[in-house]
Amino acid sequence: MNDSIYLCIKGVKINQIPEFYKKFKRISENKIYKYHYKGILFNYFLTSCSLLIMTTSSKILGKNDIKESDVDEFVEKLKSIILEIVDIDIKKIKLNVCRFDYKVDVPMEDKERHEMFNLLNKHKMRYRYIRMRKIYQTSIHLANHSSSRNINIYDKGVESGIPEFENVVRLELQIKHRGIIRLLNKEEKPRDIYYYWGKEAMEELFFKYFEGFLYTGTYYKLGQAIKIIEKSSYTRTLKKGLISFVSIVNKNGMLGAERFFSYNTIRKYEKLLDNINVNPITIEDDAEINEMENLLKRARRIAEEKYFK
């Protein structure tokens, strides 16, 4: 459900941190100090008297499968650790969210997982101010130094080397500090751990965000996708355009399609294909797999079954 979580406490005086200079090490000329303790990286900003708390839900809770109902335990354990470092009134602690990473782990067999990454590397190279950094066999990463969000989709077993994550594809969205502040100022989303941890926020900030990148349609072989288009109720002209579109995307990816179709035409065709449950990204006709369920639909189902019940 979630992974990395950064929170900030403002108004923490240095004399409220016992043995500060024994524990915290200076890491910057701008008077920034750090301290690792019980799965948390504390960064103290002397100039602003702010304490940044960087951790993951799994480190605090001691498990990988995090549920919506775990938020109270997370907050309680986190505050308990904070009180071991800072002499502060626990009732007055306000934890402001500075970064929040959502994730869903999707089990996938070898053959299917290999095909999934072939398909993912044909998706958009640029999406909402972020862009594909590099193309890897077992991962894709879209990021930008100044962006508010990053996308990571990767083979968690390969990345971690942990047997527990073998045959798992992780779908991850990082909402960075810039994004948290934008959501606060423009959409009045509170910087509250309980808001970001909830099902409603994950649906809006994670699943809805991914729809424009992963789409909602099934991955079909190109030939099967063309048959579905031909059987649709669309006009002959639209069918011809859609068939040309999926054929070019199959051969050249979405980046290649941008050389043949305008932005508005691509948006139009994406929507029309979603309406008939066809993903614009299609499987090669000579592949062993005939069709695959949409990755985002899988993630939604897993979230409902594992995180929100």
Side-chain angles (χ1 to χ4, degrees):
M1 180 180 178
N2 54 58
D3 192 35
S4 294
I5 300 173
Y6 294 7
L7 302 133
C8 180
I9 304 175
K10 296 182 178 180
V12 178
K13 304 297 183 182
I14 197 168
N15 60 8
Q16 292 179 284
I17 305 176
E19 299 183 322
F20 176 84
Y21 289 105
K22 284 186 178 180
K23 298 173 181 176
F24 283 75
K25 303 300 180 184
R26 188 167 180 168
I27 60 172
S28 168
E29 294 181 358
N30 296 324
K31 298 183 179 180
I32 302 173
Y33 298 79
K34 72 174 183 179
Y35 177 50
H36 286 273
Y37 184 70
K38 290 189 176 182
I40 298 174
L41 173 59
F42 293 93
N43 273 6
Y44 183 73
F45 297 81
L46 185 61
T47 303
S48 61
C49 296
S50 298
L51 188 66
L52 179 63
I53 299 154
M54 296 178 280
T55 189
T56 66
S57 51
S58 59
K59 287 179 180 177
I60 300 301
L61 296 171
K63 61 180 183 177
N64 291 315
D65 288 331
I66 310 300
K67 302 177 184 289
E68 184 181 23
S69 57
D70 290 328
V71 62
D72 286 332
E73 182 182 356
F74 174 85
V75 171
E76 182 180 338
K77 287 185 174 181
L78 183 66
K79 285 185 175 181
S80 178
I81 296 171
I82 292 170
L83 285 177
E84 294 177 28
I85 303 301
V86 185
D87 183 10
I88 194 171
D89 186 347
I90 191 66
K91 295 180 180 178
K92 294 182 180 179
I93 288 180
K94 183 178 180 182
L95 298 170
N96 291 306
V97 175
C98 297
R99 171 176 154 177
F100 201 93
D101 293 1
Y102 290 104
K103 70 174 178 69
V104 179
D105 287 340
V106 181
M108 204 173 290
E109 294 303 322
D110 282 345
K111 188 185 299 184
E112 198 177 25
R113 196 169 65 256
H114 175 75
E115 187 60 44
M116 179 59 73
F117 283 106
N118 285 340
L119 297 171
L120 286 171
N121 279 309
K122 291 184 179 182
H123 278 259
K124 294 174 181 175
M125 295 289 112
R126 298 181 294 271
Y127 179 64
R128 294 195 180 187
Y129 306 108
I130 55 178
R131 62 175 59 238
M132 196 83 74
R133 286 305 189 188
K134 290 182 181 180
I135 295 177
Y136 301 96
Q137 289 185 335
T138 58
S139 65
I140 65 166
H141 306 278
L142 283 83
N144 188 316
H145 178 71
S146 61
S147 66
S148 61
R149 307 187 194 197
N150 292 339
I151 286 175
N152 299 308
I153 305 175
Y154 55 97
D155 187 319
K156 182 61 178 175
V158 171
E159 183 265 350
S160 67
I162 300 173
E164 180 182 349
F165 292 113
E166 188 175 358
N167 300 327
V168 167
V169 172
R170 175 164 290 185
L171 181 59
E172 179 180 88
L173 179 69
Q174 301 171 342
I175 305 180
K176 300 189 291 185
H177 184 255
R178 184 187 299 268
I180 299 293
I181 298 301
R182 183 174 297 167
L183 287 167
L184 172 68
N185 294 335
K186 293 190 174 182
E187 301 183 32
E188 298 183 347
K189 307 296 185 186
R191 293 177 65 183
D192 182 75
I193 184 69
Y194 285 92
Y195 167 72
Y196 280 94
W197 198 291
K199 178 180 179 179
E200 181 180 341
M202 188 172 184
E203 170 62 31
E204 181 179 351
L205 304 178
F206 179 82
F207 289 112
K208 291 292 185 184
Y209 182 85
F210 264 115
E211 283 184 358
F213 181 71
L214 293 173
Y215 310 108
T216 61
T218 300
Y219 293 105
Y220 292 104
K221 281 189 172 180
L222 176 60
Q224 181 61 22
I226 290 173
K227 288 179 181 179
I228 294 172
I229 292 168
E230 288 175 336
K231 291 180 181 179
S232 72
S233 60
Y234 296 142
T235 66
R236 183 177 300 178
T237 301
L238 278 179
K239 289 178 183 179
K240 184 179 178 180
L242 289 170
I243 290 170
S244 175
F245 178 61
V246 295
S247 298
I248 288 172
V249 172
N250 178 268
K251 183 178 180 180
N252 303 292
M254 290 299 297
L255 181 62
E258 292 174 2
R259 298 197 299 266
F260 294 90
F261 303 94
S262 70
Y263 173 81
N264 289 333
T265 299
I266 290 175
R267 290 291 301 274
K268 174 184 176 181
Y269 285 168
E270 287 172 341
K271 185 175 180 180
L272 290 170
L273 289 168
D274 265 356
N275 290 342
I276 56 174
N277 192 38
V278 173
N279 201 298
I281 315 298
T282 54
I283 303 168
E284 299 287 348
D285 279 332
D286 61 356
E288 295 182 50
I289 293 175
N290 292 320
E291 66 179 71
M292 292 174 60
E293 184 182 13
N294 180 277
L295 181 58
L296 193 59
K297 283 187 177 179
R298 291 189 191 199
R300 265 199 172 102
R301 186 176 63 252
I302 289 168
E304 287 293 338
E305 293 172 354
K306 293 182 65 175
Y307 307 154
F308 301 128
K309 282 190 175 180

